[in-house]
Amino acid sequence: MSAMRGTALVIGVIGFIGAISAGAVEPPVYPGKEWVAVEPAGAGLDVARLGEARAYALTGEGSGLIVRGGRVVMAWGDPKQRYDLKSTTKSFGAIALGLAVADGKVKLDDLAVRHQPSLGVPPDENAKTGWIGNITVLHLATQTAGFEKPGGYGRLLFEPGTKWKYSDGGPNWLAECLTLAYGRDLNDVMFERVFAPIGITKDNLVWRANQYREKQIAGVARREFGAGIGANVDAMARVGLMMLREGRWGERQILPADFVRRCGRPEARFADVPVDADEMKVHGKAPPHYGLLWWNNADGTLANVPRDAYWSWGLYDSLIVVIPSLDLVVARAGKGWARKAGAGHYEVLGPFLGPIVAAAGAAETKRADGGKSPYPPSAVIGGVEWAAPDTIRRQAKGSDNWPMTWADDGHQYTAYGDGWGFERAKGEPKLSLGIARVEGSAEDARGVDISAPTIEGAGDDARGQKASGILCVDGVLYLLARNAGNSQLAWSADHGKTWARAAWKFGTSFGCPTLLNAGKNYAAARDGYAYVYSPDADDAYRPADRMVLARVPVKRIREASAYEFFAGPGGDGKPTWSADVTRRAAVFEHAGRCFRSTVTYAPGLGRYLWVQRIPPRGEARPTVGAGNGLAIFDAPEPWGPWTTAYYADVWDVDPGDTACLSPKWLSADGKTGALVFAGEDSFGVRGVKFEVVGVGGR
């Protein structure tokens, strides 16, 4: 790195977007003793915009590195000069917590007194509150424990979990919990397990002795999490790259990936807690963008920065910024930037992060439609290319819906609504729910109506039942019908000719459910469960603020008592489930725009593809036609985390009421497929190509 000294040195890298050749994706790059450094243009970054960020950074002097694809694309100052990182130390503390969780030393929901019996005392008055015994490790890691700001033995101001207040005292108690759990100096633990493996030396990073409490606890050095680490931007960027790679460094998994992801998002259970009144003046409404001792942009406070961005942040604006969707890491330290009187807490970051994101603007706009999507761009799917509108093949005019499943006999089965299907004469009564078989490829698809009097119905709009989801598993077709108060399950063991209905119905939410499809006869499923997605609403005609998810063992899909509802991530970041529907949590959020959808797993991409119709903003009861949008969100698991593969507030053609990626017509490599959609009240088929820029999979 000696060649990188200097204030205005510009260097670059061939990043993950520019590394695609003949469909191959370059393996992850990590630095050795030195970073690889090449030109920004090769990484798809605009050097002028990066220069704007650097110029702003240098108003506070100091040093910085911008890294894309594991290589440095811009640097300034001296990358070897150590700076006092102040509260960025808290984010290092979160990394130590991740190690302890992985080692089984602590759990996030543990009561903290289990690990530090003297928690909160002194001062003695804290013991009189009756609150100390209720403080968990998670409270200490999310600024919700209730301790005042100073890092010594401060007062407990409120009952844990009821408010948010930025504190050094709470994180310092967390440091003691981990020190006692290991029985070792955390500096030694971190150098052994994290710093040395990623190339950080004791010349690059030092952790001072505790300045606020006794120097030792139980015979070992007592460290701080509130502050105390001094490091250079080389070390900071290495930490950021490890976080970007979800805890991995080369062949070594240093931190659990689930834990790293959790650091970068707000804690759902505390996102709505009030902020301490005095704290509002400093940090504003922080809980919706604060995670495990890392700040984030999940609530979009920084409008021009992806929502998956997260960062450490210390006094004097020391920053380690991680933006997974753009494969970016930024490290900066120096003097603090000038603040405007009355400005929001995040406002000072805008002139620095905004130009960096804008430098990658072409890729971001291609993926996320200029930031209108509620989720960050996909790191796997770099873009979606639709076949020209004049290539769309339309059949079954006058019919809509068309959820699709790939059955054991090699055909696809679907259901239509408010129409005549493929073969019924226009003079006959329309069916609100009809069944059909689809034969052939996307280019020569042929629909065949199936006479199914045991499920067929009449009545247009909400007056008749309609299929919103269909799945074939073990040779049996399962169908979820909406407009049934709220929805009802039916099944057929003879490929759609005869049907039986469940005696029970979803009575809460799940008014427009769809069933996850994964390969032929559900053979590509990740486990033995069927997954049901729906807007969190009691009918199919009004948009919701969020989507909800249920699962059921495929062997028990007909039993109401076997269904479990997604209840949010647990202490280990893994999904939790509850048989109580009132405990359902959001699996996806998009205020006022969660509407009809379908979900298909693409084995070639290792991603779950959620096709959603995006209704016009503010419409209480959206209608079909031009002006509706379409989006495809992707995730490595049925419950997320979701990113944006494609988003259009207004699609170039009418998407109809529902759209579905055909599970049969997805290519083996996942790069091509066909969308079946109900635009112009028909069975429409439109080709689609996915630009693959990363590696998916579970």
Side-chain angles (χ1 to χ4, degrees):
M1 289 288 290
S2 59
M4 293 174 57
R5 297 177 187 269
T7 302
L9 180 61
V10 178
I11 45 189
V13 56
I14 300 175
F16 79 114
I17 290 178
I20 303 163
S21 177
V25 179
E26 183 182 285
V29 173
Y30 297 89
K33 290 184 179 180
E34 308 290 339
W35 291 82
V36 175
V38 286
E39 293 300 322
L45 297 172
D46 181 78
V47 66
R49 301 309 299 269
L50 293 185
E52 291 177 29
R54 181 189 59 210
Y56 177 78
L58 286 170
T59 63
E61 303 178 9
S63 305
L65 292 179
I66 300 175
V67 177
R68 196 176 206 189
R71 302 178 179 91
V72 173
V73 297
M74 182 167 282
W76 59 92
D78 181 354
K80 296 299 185 183
Q81 180 180 339
R82 289 201 307 261
Y83 298 86
D84 184 355
L85 302 187
K86 299 297 185 182
S87 285
T88 279
T89 305
K90 294 179 173 68
S91 300
F92 285 81
I95 293 172
L97 176 59
L99 285 179
V101 169
D103 290 343
K105 300 289 187 181
V106 301
K107 296 179 180 177
L108 293 178
D109 289 329
D110 283 350
L111 294 175
V113 292
R114 174 182 170 186
H115 303 287
Q116 167 47 305
S118 300
L119 182 80
V121 180
D124 291 339
E125 64 189 77
N126 284 345
K128 300 175 184 178
T129 66
W131 295 333
I132 291 177
N134 297 327
I135 296 172
T136 66
V137 170
L138 185 62
H139 289 137
L140 296 173
T142 55
Q143 305 290 16
T144 59
F147 289 103
E148 63 180 336
K149 175 65 169 68
Y153 297 111
R155 295 172 300 154
L156 192 56
L157 302 179
F158 52 82
E159 184 177 357
T162 62
K163 292 182 182 180
W164 188 95
K165 182 174 179 62
Y166 193 76
S167 167
D168 290 346
N172 284 353
W173 284 114
L174 176 62
E176 294 191 10
C177 289
L178 300 188
T179 299
L180 294 172
Y182 277 105
R184 298 180 61 195
D185 182 350
L186 292 181
N187 184 58
D188 294 340
V189 174
M190 290 287 279
F191 264 100
E192 177 184 303
R193 301 284 300 282
V194 180
F195 298 150
I198 67 176
I200 296 175
T201 70
K202 292 185 178 181
D203 290 329
N204 294 335
L205 184 150
V206 295
W207 200 346
R208 73 177 185 217
N210 195 303
Q211 289 194 348
Y212 297 97
R213 303 181 186 181
E214 296 81 2
K215 302 303 181 189
Q216 290 193 332
I217 180 172
V220 300
R222 181 191 247 121
R223 301 291 172 178
E224 300 173 46
F225 283 173
I229 285 180
N232 57 36
V233 292
D234 181 295
M236 295 165 70
R238 288 170 185 267
V239 169
L241 183 60
M242 180 195 68
M243 298 297 283
L244 179 77
R245 299 279 163 78
E246 297 190 333
R248 194 167 189 84
W249 195 268
E251 298 301 316
R252 189 168 184 169
Q253 190 70 44
I254 293 173
L255 291 180
D258 287 344
F259 185 89
V260 174
R261 288 193 289 267
R262 190 166 182 173
C263 287
R265 63 176 185 247
E267 273 301 311
R269 72 181 79 177
F270 302 130
D272 294 325
V273 299
V275 176
D276 177 79
D278 292 336
E279 192 66 33
M280 280 290 291
K281 301 173 185 177
V282 181
H283 292 114
K285 188 170 172 54
H289 54 236
Y290 194 80
L292 295 178
L293 299 176
W294 288 76
W295 297 90
N296 62 68
N297 195 44
D299 63 351
T301 296
L302 288 172
N304 296 321
V305 174
R307 293 192 181 212
D308 68 337
Y310 64 100
W311 53 88
S312 68
W313 195 2
L315 186 66
Y316 311 133
D317 298 316
S318 63
L319 294 163
I320 303 171
V321 183
V322 181
I323 311 179
S325 58
L326 297 179
D327 202 20
L328 280 167
V329 170
V330 184
R332 183 270 167 187
K335 297 179 180 179
W337 294 316
R339 265 74 170 167
K340 298 177 182 177
H345 180 227
Y346 270 20
E347 190 168 322
V348 71
L349 300 176
F352 181 56
L353 297 183
I356 293 172
V357 172
E364 182 189 15
T365 301
K366 182 177 183 180
R367 297 180 187 193
D369 194 28
K372 294 178 182 177
S373 171
Y375 287 86
S378 172
V380 175
I381 301 172
V384 172
E385 180 182 346
W386 299 104
D390 60 6
T391 67
I392 296 171
R393 299 178 70 248
R394 289 186 170 89
Q395 303 177 60
K397 294 294 183 67
S399 305
D400 57 22
N401 280 13
W402 311 116
M404 300 279 284
T405 192
W406 188 7
D408 59 314
D409 63 0
H411 298 308
Q412 294 185 95
Y413 288 83
T414 186
Y416 61 89
D418 289 349
W420 299 278
F422 292 96
E423 299 171 313
R424 288 167 58 86
K426 292 295 193 293
E428 297 182 55
K430 286 185 176 183
L431 294 179
S432 65
L433 197 167
I435 306 296
R437 181 175 68 248
V438 178
E439 301 174 353
S441 66
E443 292 74 23
D444 62 3
R446 184 173 70 91
V448 179
D449 291 338
I450 297 173
S451 177
T454 51
I455 199 170
E456 290 172 354
D460 60 1
D461 207 31
R463 289 179 287 275
Q465 288 193 9
K466 294 173 173 62
S468 54
I470 190 169
L471 170 67
C472 184
V473 58
D474 294 333
V476 178
L477 296 178
Y478 292 95
L479 181 148
L480 284 167
R482 56 181 172 88
N483 303 350
N486 295 0
S487 53
Q488 184 178 28
L489 178 72
W491 58 88
S492 169
D494 57 7
H495 294 115
K497 298 181 182 67
T498 59
W499 293 80
R501 295 178 186 266
W504 55 273
K505 300 177 181 179
F506 285 101
T508 301
S509 187
F510 291 87
C512 189
T514 191
L515 285 153
L516 167 68
N517 272 269
K520 181 180 179 181
N521 200 31
Y522 205 46
R526 75 180 304 280
D527 52 29
Y529 286 89
Y531 290 86
V532 181
Y533 303 77
S534 177
D536 190 16
D538 290 332
D539 63 51
Y541 295 91
R542 58 185 180 89
D545 292 333
R546 64 182 195 166
M547 297 285 197
V548 289
L549 172 65
R551 72 174 185 178
V552 60
V554 292
K555 302 296 185 184
R556 302 180 62 194
I557 196 169
R558 304 174 194 182
E559 302 174 33
S561 62
Y563 284 74
E564 299 176 306
F565 302 91
F566 177 73
D572 57 2
K574 296 180 180 178
T576 61
W577 305 89
S578 174
D580 181 358
V581 69
T582 65
R583 294 189 60 195
R584 69 194 185 279
V587 73
F588 182 98
E589 296 183 80
H590 193 186
R593 309 189 86 181
C594 290
F595 202 44
R596 301 174 188 177
S597 69
T598 59
V599 185
T600 305
Y601 179 62
L605 300 177
R607 307 294 283 185
Y608 293 83
L609 304 178
W610 196 343
V611 180
Q612 296 187 22
R613 173 188 161 193
I614 307 299
R617 194 177 298 277
E619 285 197 4
R621 195 178 189 281
T623 57
V624 297
N628 284 275
L630 186 79
I632 303 176
F633 302 99
D634 70 313
E637 298 283 7
W639 45 83
W642 298 100
T643 53
T644 305
Y646 175 81
Y647 187 96
D649 248 351
V650 178
W651 205 31
D652 60 343
V653 299
D654 169 20
D657 61 349
T658 311
C660 173
L661 281 168
S662 158
K664 180 179 179 180
W665 296 335
L666 282 170
S667 63
D669 62 6
K671 294 181 180 180
T672 62
L675 186 82
V676 173
F677 66 107
E680 298 186 14
D681 218 20
S682 65
F683 179 85
V685 179
R686 187 176 193 181
V688 60
K689 294 180 180 179
F690 297 103
E691 178 191 351
V692 181
V693 297
V695 179
R698 293 187 288 269

